[in-house]
Amino acid sequence: MEKFDFLQFYSYLSYKSNKLHVNGFSIDELSCKEETPFFLFLLNRFQQNYEKMNAEISKHIPNILISYAVKANYLGRILDAANHVGMGLEVMSLFELKLAEKAKFQANKIIFNGPAKSEKELEYAIAFGITKINVDSLSELINIEKIAKDKGIIQPITIRIHPKLTEDTEKKLLIRKNSKLGIDYSRGVKLFEYSKKSPNLNPIGIHVHVGTNLTTHDFFEELLVFLSNYITELEDKLQVNIKEINLGGGLASNSTLEANGFSFDRFGEQISNHIKEIENKLIIFEPGRYLIEDSFIALTKVIRTKKSWGRKWAFTDIGANSLIPMRYTHYKILPANNKGKDQYTNIGGPLCLPVDVLTNEAVDFIIEEKDFLAVLNCGAYTISMSEQFGYPRPAIYELTENGTLKLLKAEDKLDQMIEAEFNYRK
Ligand SMILES: Cc1ncc(COP(=O)(O)O)c(C=O)c1O
């Protein structure tokens, strides 16, 4: 019988008599309760991911703020849960800022990012009292200065730089040195210099975010050595007092980090070893994927199977319009009912598009039509990026402690989708 070794990293999953269970409830039974496909949110996994990171890093650093990156998945339920446990929030647009407001986050726990924030967005953020605006360009800095001057205030700002890293490290990153995001570290110094001289700006921090799905301590070691020297230079040469160091997001999911032997205890130690006078600084993190990727499962039904060119295919009722195929996605598929080994089967969604394959790895368990499958690692950059491409976007439920499904967001209604396209007739 198929073993699925990776299950050891998903404490909420287990096979009992060949039936897959999540938090002790049978996936087969849950899949029959509502029409598939649908997403299942596991609140306790989200909370555990946060608590683990917070507890381990806090052993080494007195002041930390873990701020959930809204873009990874902006369901109201997640934002309320994040606020409830004391997280901050990372936003990148007026829409996300207004979601933060609706979820009642305090202004000093909201971080505003983005390479081209509009004047309207900046005005709103400043009026709201946001103090953690990661500035991405001189043009934006001048705009913030003007808004602050008009209001007669001194606006705290932080600057997003791209650090100096080895060519080898750069090659492995999603956001490389010539990317559109952030400003190169030497120009960054000029932005600090400009804000230091301005009567309406107060440069209080530095921000670095260079990728996603990071799993190694080596990367952070290199980054922290650079940052430590860079901050010392800012403090010594420009008398800028760096009170906040934002290390961005970019961590892989909890299950992926565990599989790669990454330890938050060691990460916290690395940071405290390199950052001087850490007791006077706030260390900020902006994880999206880490917190949410493995807190969701998609439940889907096999609609058709076929053989073609010697290959076996199984087609699910969920596709790449909600399970977005990005460079760093690694959906894993498990049978709700494990019937044993078979020839390798490729799994595709229902869309009439060749890219609509759920995973590049074929599976080798028996799959038949009407079987239910569970898709793991689907919480980050799926629901928030999903499209109505040929199909309604699926419903989202929370799996409650007693095994019921609580609706968090209904699926799109076909009638409304059709109506919207003919609105012009009105
Ligand atoms: C500035 C910034 N911070 C944090 C994140 C979250 O990244 P991740 O989900 O990889 O943790 C992103 C994602 O694009 C980002 O752009």
Side-chain angles (χ1 to χ4, degrees), residues 31 35 44-46 57 68 102 104 106 112 129 131 160 163 179 218 227 298 351 357 360 369 385 392 424 426:
S31 305
E35 206 171 316
N44 58 349
R45 179 65 174 194
F46 177 67
I57 295 183
Y68 172 62
K102 179 101 178 156
K104 299 197 166 57
Q106 285 167 10
F112 193 12
T131 55
R160 175 176 184 171
S179 114
D218 290 353
L227 276 180
L351 307 180
V357 288
N360 289 329
E369 291 180 5
M385 295 178 83
Y424 86 97
K426 286 180 187 154

Side-chain angles (χ1 to χ4, degrees), residues 357-376:
V357 288
L358 267 48
T359 138
N360 289 329
E361 290 166 29
V363 299
D364 64 349
F365 50 83
I366 295 170
I367 302 189
E368 293 166 306
E369 291 180 5
K370 298 195 173 58
D371 282 353
F372 291 117
L373 303 175
V375 185
L376 313 186

Side-chain angles (χ1 to χ4, degrees), residues 110-368:
I110 301 173
I111 296 147
F112 193 12
N113 280 314
K117 305 170 198 80
S118 68
E119 180 152 0
K120 184 176 154 202
E121 288 176 317
L122 289 170
E123 270 172 357
Y124 192 91
I126 290 169
F128 191 69
I130 308 280
T131 55
K132 301 175 197 323
I133 303 178
N134 285 316
V135 177
D136 218 88
S137 64
L138 180 60
S139 156
E140 187 185 343
L141 194 62
I142 293 169
N143 200 171
I144 295 172
E145 184 185 33
K146 178 183 162 288
I147 297 169
K149 193 172 172 200
D150 290 349
K151 286 188 176 304
I153 59 167
I154 300 171
Q155 176 62 34
I157 51 107
T158 45
I159 289 169
R160 175 176 184 171
I161 60 148
H162 188 93
K164 183 178 186 186
L165 300 166
T166 62
E167 288 302 316
D168 232 29
T169 304
E170 283 282 345
K171 274 188 218 147
K172 293 179 204 146
L173 298 176
L174 177 68
I175 301 170
R176 297 186 188 163
K177 63 182 178 189
N178 53 3
S179 114
K180 70 171 197 176
L181 299 167
I183 191 140
D184 64 82
Y185 62 92
S186 46
R187 269 197 189 76
V189 174
K190 298 203 169 75
L191 266 62
F192 277 106
E193 212 169 355
Y194 183 96
S195 12
K196 179 73 189 166
K197 285 186 191 146
S198 166
N200 297 101
L201 296 171
N202 181 15
I204 59 163
I206 185 162
H207 174 241
V208 177
H209 171 82
V210 287
T212 197
N213 222 26
L214 300 165
T215 54
T216 71
H217 288 278
D218 290 353
F219 163 74
F220 288 107
E221 195 62 26
E222 190 182 334
L223 175 65
L224 287 162
V225 168
F226 165 81
L227 276 180
S228 164
N229 293 329
Y230 191 77
I231 292 169
T232 304
E233 202 177 313
L234 289 175
E235 293 187 327
D236 291 353
K237 291 202 183 136
L238 301 180
Q239 275 75 55
V240 170
N241 183 6
I242 296 292
K243 290 188 261 198
E244 297 183 0
I245 302 173
N246 185 331
L247 296 173
L251 291 163
S253 72
N254 191 0
S255 28
T256 307
L257 288 181
E258 275 185 19
N260 283 276
F262 186 91
S263 138
F264 280 112
D265 191 0
R266 186 168 157 210
F267 184 34
E269 201 175 3
Q270 282 183 293
I271 299 169
S272 76
N273 282 344
H274 287 291
I275 303 299
K276 293 176 205 111
E277 294 178 31
I278 200 153
E279 58 290 350
N280 301 325
K281 301 197 188 321
L282 176 68
I283 308 295
I284 303 173
F285 305 89
E286 303 171 339
R289 184 181 302 282
Y290 165 75
L291 290 168
I292 205 70
E293 183 178 278
D294 63 11
S295 309
F296 271 80
I297 300 178
L299 302 191
T300 179
K301 187 153 105 185
V302 177
I303 312 167
R304 304 270 169 222
T305 56
K306 76 174 175 190
K307 281 193 181 158
S308 177
W309 299 98
R311 214 173 244 246
K312 186 174 168 199
W313 280 96
F315 293 93
T316 55
D317 56 9
I318 197 163
N321 44 352
S322 34
L323 295 180
I324 311 290
M326 303 252 286
R327 186 170 143 201
Y328 284 106
T329 49
H330 52 112
Y331 308 122
K332 284 197 185 298
I333 300 175
L334 288 170
N337 184 11
N338 187 4
K339 296 183 256 185
K341 269 197 188 265
D342 195 3
Q343 76 172 94
Y344 279 99
T345 306
N346 290 78
I347 303 189
L351 307 180
C352 199
L353 281 183
V355 292
D356 183 26
V357 288
L358 267 48
T359 138
N360 289 329
E361 290 166 29
V363 299
D364 64 349
F365 50 83
I366 295 170
I367 302 189
E368 293 166 306

